Amino acid sequence: MELNDLPRKGGEWLLGAGPESDIVISSRVRLARNVDGFAFHTRLSAEQQTRLERHLRRAVLDAKVVGNPIYINLNETAGVDRLFLVERHLISKEHSLGEGDRAVIFDRDETVSIMLLEEDHIRLQVLRSGLQLWDTWEKATQADDRLESFLDYSFSPQYGYLTACPTNLGTGMRASVMFHLPALQMSRQMDKVLHAVEKMRMVVRGLYGEGSQAYGDFFQISNQVTLGLTEEEIVERLSAVVPKILEYERNMREVLMKNDRALFEDRVWRARGILATARSINSEEAMSHLSSVRMGINLGILPEVGLGALNELFILTLPAHIQKLAGRELETAERDQKRAEFIRERLALN
Amino acid sequence: MELNDLPRKGGEWLLGAGPESDIVISSRVRLARNVDGFAFHTRLSAEQQTRLERHLRRAVLDAKVVGNPIYINLNETAGVDRLFLVERHLISKEHSLGEGDRAVIFDRDETVSIMLLEEDHIRLQVLRSGLQLWDTWEKATQADDRLESFLDYSFSPQYGYLTACPTNLGTGMRASVMFHLPALQMSRQMDKVLHAVEKMRMVVRGLYGEGSQAYGDFFQISNQVTLGLTEEEIVERLSAVVPKILEYERNMREVLMKNDRALFEDRVWRARGILATARSINSEEAMSHLSSVRMGINLGILPEVGLGALNELFILTLPAHIQKLAGRELETAERDQKRAEFIRERLALN
C-alpha cells in the first residue's frame, strides 16, 4: 500500500517554508459539505453509507479535485494505519474511529485532503506551510467549486451550506493557523493570550484539534463563527489576529533572552543534548525537546538544523509513524527506543 | 599562594589508577595523635594553641614526613580557600570551621596530609588511588614512625594512643575505602548492603565523611572499632569486606545490563548528553550525571573518556573549586554556568 512510502517524510505543509515560518507552522482551511438526496451521515443506514461513499468518491476523482490522488477506504484499513493518517493531519480522530464505508482522498504533497463521510458527507481541507491563509483559502475554494459542479450540495438560501452540526452552518468553513509558541508557554503567558484570542471569538486548540493538549507548544487558532459572515470575512478576521500573536511570542522571546538568557540557553542546549543521546524517549518528551530545539535554532542559540527536518519530526515520531517505520506493531518500550534512534539518525546532532 | 595552582587538577588519589579502580576510587588511612605536655585541643587557650601549632609544624617539617611540603595556616586563610581544601579531602569540614591557629601540611601529590589542631593535635592521612589498603597503611605507619621520633605522643600502655574522643582510642586509626556504587544505588539495593556492612562493625559515609550524603553514588566504608585491635587487624577486617561489596555492585551491574539494558543505556547516554550541552548545572546534578557517565564508560556503553579526568571532575566542579577556577567569588547562578562550561571543556564530549 502507498501508505508505506510516507513514514519517512512529512507533507508539504511541514516544510518550514512560507511567511513567518519561525512561528507559524501551517495555515489550514476546511469546508464542510453535504449532498442532496442523502440524509446526514448519522441517519444513514450502512447500505446507504456505502452507496454514498461510492458516489462521492467517483465525483471527487472525476472532478480531479486532487491531482494524482491517493484513495483510502478506512473501513478496509488497519487501526495503526488509521492512526497514522490522523498523525499526518490527513483525517480527524473521529474519522479514524468511525464505522462503515468512509474514506479519505489526498494528493501526494498532502496539501489537499478530502474526508468522505466524516461528520459531514464531505470535509475538504487545504493545508499549507507558514502563514498563507488567503492562498490556502483560494485553493480550497477552487477545489470546492470544481467539486460542486459534480455534486448537488445541500444549500439553503437562508442558512447557506447545511451541515450535520449547526456550529458549521453557513459557510461550513473553518480557517485555522497553527502556531509554535514556546516562549509564551514557557513564561506561562499562554492563558492570557488564549483569553484575549477567545474574546475575539476565536477558538484555541492543540496540535490535534478539539480536546488535544498543547503538546510541543503548538496552538491552533481558528474561527468560532461560520454563519453570518462571508468566507472572506472569516479569513480577514483570523488574519487580523495573527500579527498580535506573532508579536506576543516575539516579545516574550526577547524578554526571555534579555532577562533569563542563561536559563533559556541551558534549556535549548539540554534539549538538543537529550535528543542527541537518549536511547529511549516517549513522544511527549520528544515533542517538548523538539520544541525547545526549534526555538533555539530560530533564536540563533543552536547551530542550524533544517527547519523542515525538525518540523517533520514532530509528526514522524508519533506512535503510529514509529510503527510504520519499523514495519510492525511495537510495544511502548520498543516504540520509545525506535523513536530515540530515529531522532538521532534524523538530526545527526553528534 | 600555591593553592591557586591546584584548581585545574586533582590529587594523585583521583587518578583512577590502582586495583579495582572501576569501583574503588581510593583507599585511605588516618591516624589520630596527641602530644604530651599539652591538653587536648578543646582545653587549650588561644596562646597555648598557637604555641602548640608552631611546635607541631616544626616537628612535621623537620621530620620530613611530607616531601616538598605545602603549609597552610587556616587561621590566615579565606573561607573559600578552606572550603577548597575540604573539597580536595585535604582537611575535614570541622577543621575548616575551627578557630585559632590550626594548619594543614601536605605534599604536592596530595597523598599525605597532616592536619594540626583538628579534633586531635595531629591527624595524619594517607590517601591513594584504587584499592591499595596495605600500601596506604604502610605509608601512614612510616610517616607516623618518623614523626614519633620528633614528638612525644600521648600513649597509655593500657589504652594505646590517647585521643580527644574515646571512639578513636587505641590505634587512633581509621582505614577507609571510597566506593562508586551507582548500580546498587540505582536499583535501591544500598540499604541492604549498608545493613550487612554495619553488621560487620563497619561505618558507611558519603563522599565527605560523617553526615554527608551519598552524592554521586559514592560510599566510604571504614572501621568502627579502633580499640582492642592491632592496626593490621583493622586493615585485614576492612580488606575482607571489600570483595563482597565489589561483588554486589558487579552483580547488580550485570543484572541491570541484562534486564534493563535499554533503560540503563538511556540513563548513561542522557547523562553524557546533558553534561555535553548544559549551560548551567548545579553540583549535585553534575555529580549524578558524572556518576552515570563513569559507570557507562566502565561498562563499555559509552566511548572512552579518561577515568582520571572524570574522577577529577567530581572534585573540580565543587563550589569552592569553581570559584578558585574563576579567580573570584561567584553567585550560585554564575557558579552553575561556570561549572557547565568547565565540564564541557574538560570532557570535550562534542
Side-chain angles (χ1 to χ4, degrees):
Chain A
M1 184 174 48
E2 283 144 323
L3 284 192
N4 293 328
D5 304 336
L6 304 180
R8 293 197 149 261
K9 67 167 212 73
E12 201 143 45
W13 62 278
L14 280 166
L15 273 184
E20 318 289 0
S21 58
D22 57 331
I23 294 179
V24 175
I25 303 292
S26 58
S27 304
R28 174 177 174 265
V29 167
R30 77 104 174 101
L31 301 169
R33 299 289 184 256
N34 292 274
V35 296
D36 271 345
F38 289 87
F40 284 132
H41 181 174
T42 49
R43 304 287 185 98
L44 294 172
S45 70
E47 289 83 349
Q48 287 172 319
Q49 182 173 333
T50 299
R51 200 151 51 82
L52 178 53
E53 196 274 333
R54 271 189 218 143
H55 176 61
L56 296 171
R57 186 202 323 172
R58 201 168 315 122
V60 171
L61 297 178
D62 288 351
K64 298 197 192 319
V65 177
V66 174
N68 207 356
I70 296 169
Y71 166 83
I72 290 165
N73 185 323
L74 299 179
N75 206 29
E76 298 159 2
T77 301
V80 65
D81 286 337
R82 297 201 307 270
L83 183 56
F84 175 79
L85 293 168
V86 173
E87 289 174 356
R88 292 182 88 79
H89 292 246
L90 289 167
I91 66 172
S92 64
K93 190 153 196 176
E94 293 67 32
H95 203 36
S96 85
L97 299 174
E99 287 190 353
D101 275 324
R102 63 202 191 284
V104 63
I105 301 174
F106 56 92
D107 65 326
R108 269 144 229 274
D109 287 344
E110 300 172 46
T111 301
V112 183
S113 84
I114 300 175
M115 289 189 280
L116 306 183
L117 289 148
E118 205 246 24
E119 185 178 288
D120 294 295
H121 296 166
I122 290 174
R123 286 279 178 106
L124 187 157
Q125 162 185 285
V126 175
L127 194 54
R128 309 213 59 192
S129 187
L131 183 60
Q132 308 196 53
L133 266 180
W134 285 107
D135 207 71
T136 305
W137 170 72
E138 241 164 68
K139 240 176 142 48
T141 295
Q142 282 165 12
D144 186 45
D145 288 348
R146 203 172 311 159
L147 198 50
E148 197 163 10
S149 64
F150 283 73
L151 290 168
D152 289 326
Y153 282 165
S154 309
F155 186 85
S156 136
Q158 194 186 349
Y159 297 115
Y161 291 103
L162 300 178
T163 51
C165 174
T167 58
N168 289 314
L169 269 181
T171 56
M173 174 165 130
R174 191 179 289 283
S176 65
V177 174
M178 181 77 73
F179 295 88
H180 184 230
L181 305 175
L184 287 170
Q185 180 80 331
M186 194 176 160
S187 55
R188 298 168 200 281
Q189 297 295 306
M190 269 315 293
D191 278 351
K192 267 190 218 166
V193 175
L194 300 189
H195 200 68
V197 166
E198 276 158 12
K199 270 195 173 165
M200 292 183 272
R201 308 204 66 184
M202 297 288 158
V203 180
V204 183
R205 291 168 175 166
L207 188 55
Y208 286 94
E210 257 172 296
S212 77
Q213 276 182 282
Y215 284 139
D217 310 321
F218 292 111
F219 296 88
Q220 194 191 109
I221 295 179
S222 61
N223 62 301
Q224 193 171 44
V225 182
T226 58
L227 185 66
L229 294 174
T230 64
E231 295 185 358
E232 287 90 337
E233 282 168 332
I234 291 173
V235 173
E236 231 159 61
R237 288 191 181 194
L238 181 57
S239 294
V241 174
V242 173
K244 288 177 190 157
I245 294 169
L246 292 176
E247 198 191 334
Y248 286 144
E249 172 70 15
R250 293 215 170 98
N251 283 347
M252 196 44 69
R253 289 182 184 190
E254 256 178 56
V255 168
L256 288 172
M257 282 290 272
K258 209 173 142 195
N259 301 347
D260 288 311
R261 191 176 179 111
L263 206 77
F264 201 59
E265 293 191 347
D266 186 51
R267 175 174 155 148
V268 304
W269 271 106
R270 279 173 183 246
R272 186 181 195 273
I274 289 168
L275 292 177
T277 52
R279 260 54 189 168
S280 170
I281 193 163
N282 67 36
S283 57
E284 198 176 341
E285 192 194 353
M287 277 227 185
S288 160
H289 295 320
L290 286 167
S291 171
S292 295
V293 167
R294 193 179 191 280
M295 179 171 58
I297 292 171
N298 278 328
L299 288 172
I301 298 171
L302 296 183
E304 199 64 39
V305 171
L307 213 54
L310 205 56
N311 282 351
E312 271 187 357
L313 276 178
F314 284 101
I315 304 295
L316 303 189
T317 58
L318 291 170
H321 272 77
I322 290 297
Q323 293 178 85
K324 291 296 289 177
L325 192 72
R328 62 186 178 92
E329 293 205 20
L330 301 174
E331 299 292 316
T332 308
E334 292 176 301
R335 279 210 302 269
D336 291 351
Q337 288 167 43
K338 186 81 190 161
R339 179 178 296 112
E341 190 188 315
F342 184 60
I343 292 172
R344 291 202 310 278
E345 173 200 319
R346 261 313 164 92
L347 293 183
L349 290 175
N350 256 349
Chain B
M1 184 177 44
E2 283 145 325
L3 284 192
N4 293 329
D5 303 337
L6 303 180
R8 291 196 151 263
K9 68 168 212 71
E12 201 144 44
W13 63 277
L14 280 167
L15 274 184
E20 318 290 0
S21 59
D22 57 330
I23 294 178
V24 176
I25 303 291
S26 59
S27 304
R28 173 178 175 263
V29 167
R30 77 105 171 100
L31 302 168
R33 300 290 184 255
N34 291 275
V35 297
D36 271 346
F38 288 87
F40 284 132
H41 180 175
T42 49
R43 304 289 184 95
L44 294 172
S45 70
E47 290 83 348
Q48 287 172 321
Q49 182 174 333
T50 297
R51 200 149 52 81
L52 177 54
E53 195 274 332
R54 271 189 217 140
H55 175 60
L56 295 171
R57 185 204 322 174
R58 201 169 314 122
V60 171
L61 297 178
D62 288 352
K64 299 197 193 314
V65 176
V66 175
N68 207 356
I70 297 169
Y71 166 85
I72 289 165
N73 184 323
L74 299 180
N75 206 28
E76 299 160 0
T77 300
V80 65
D81 286 336
R82 298 200 309 270
L83 183 57
F84 175 78
L85 293 167
V86 172
E87 288 174 357
R88 292 182 86 79
H89 293 247
L90 289 167
I91 66 172
S92 64
K93 190 152 197 178
E94 293 69 31
H95 203 36
S96 85
L97 300 173
E99 288 190 352
D101 275 324
R102 64 203 192 285
V104 62
I105 301 174
F106 57 92
D107 65 325
R108 268 144 229 273
D109 287 344
E110 301 173 45
T111 301
V112 183
S113 84
I114 301 174
M115 288 190 280
L116 306 182
L117 291 147
E118 205 247 21
E119 184 179 285
D120 294 294
H121 296 167
I122 290 173
R123 286 279 177 106
L124 187 158
Q125 162 184 284
V126 176
L127 194 53
R128 309 213 58 192
S129 187
L131 183 60
Q132 308 195 53
L133 266 180
W134 285 107
D135 207 73
T136 305
W137 171 71
E138 241 164 67
K139 240 178 144 44
T141 294
Q142 283 165 11
D144 186 45
D145 288 348
R146 204 174 306 160
L147 198 51
E148 195 162 12
S149 63
F150 282 74
L151 289 169
D152 288 327
Y153 282 166
S154 307
F155 186 85
S156 138
Q158 195 187 345
Y159 296 115
Y161 292 104
L162 300 177
T163 51
C165 174
T167 58
N168 288 314
L169 268 182
T171 56
M173 175 165 131
R174 191 179 289 282
S176 64
V177 174
M178 182 77 73
F179 294 89
H180 184 230
L181 304 175
L184 286 170
Q185 179 80 331
M186 194 176 159
S187 55
R188 299 170 200 280
Q189 297 295 306
M190 268 316 293
D191 279 351
K192 267 191 218 166
V193 175
L194 301 189
H195 200 69
V197 165
E198 276 157 12
K199 270 197 174 164
M200 292 183 271
R201 308 203 65 184
M202 297 288 158
V203 181
V204 183
R205 292 167 173 165
L207 188 55
Y208 286 93
E210 259 172 296
S212 78
Q213 276 183 278
Y215 284 139
D217 310 320
F218 292 111
F219 295 88
Q220 195 190 107
I221 294 179
S222 62
N223 61 302
Q224 193 170 45
V225 182
T226 58
L227 185 67
L229 294 173
T230 65
E231 295 184 357
E232 288 89 338
E233 283 169 333
I234 291 172
V235 173
E236 231 159 60
R237 289 191 180 194
L238 181 57
S239 295
V241 175
V242 173
K244 288 176 191 160
I245 294 169
L246 293 177
E247 199 191 332
Y248 287 144
E249 172 69 15
R250 292 214 170 98
N251 283 346
M252 196 43 72
R253 289 181 184 190
E254 256 176 57
V255 168
L256 289 173
M257 283 289 272
K258 209 174 141 195
N259 300 347
D260 288 312
R261 191 176 179 110
L263 207 77
F264 201 59
E265 293 191 345
D266 186 51
R267 175 175 152 147
V268 305
W269 271 106
R270 279 172 183 247
R272 185 181 195 271
I274 289 168
L275 292 177
T277 50
R279 260 51 190 170
S280 169
I281 192 163
N282 68 34
S283 57
E284 198 176 338
E285 191 193 353
M287 278 227 184
S288 160
H289 295 321
L290 286 166
S291 171
S292 295
V293 167
R294 193 179 190 280
M295 180 171 57
I297 291 171
N298 278 327
L299 287 173
I301 298 171
L302 296 183
E304 199 64 38
V305 172
L307 214 53
L310 205 57
N311 282 351
E312 271 186 358
L313 276 178
F314 284 101
I315 304 296
L316 303 189
T317 58
L318 292 170
H321 272 78
I322 290 298
Q323 293 178 84
K324 293 295 289 176
L325 192 72
R328 62 186 179 90
E329 293 204 19
L330 301 174
E331 299 293 317
T332 308
E334 292 176 302
R335 280 210 302 269
D336 291 351
Q337 288 168 44
K338 186 81 190 161
R339 178 178 298 113
E341 190 188 316
F342 184 59
I343 292 173
R344 292 202 310 277
E345 172 199 319
R346 262 310 165 94
L347 293 183
L349 289 175
N350 255 348

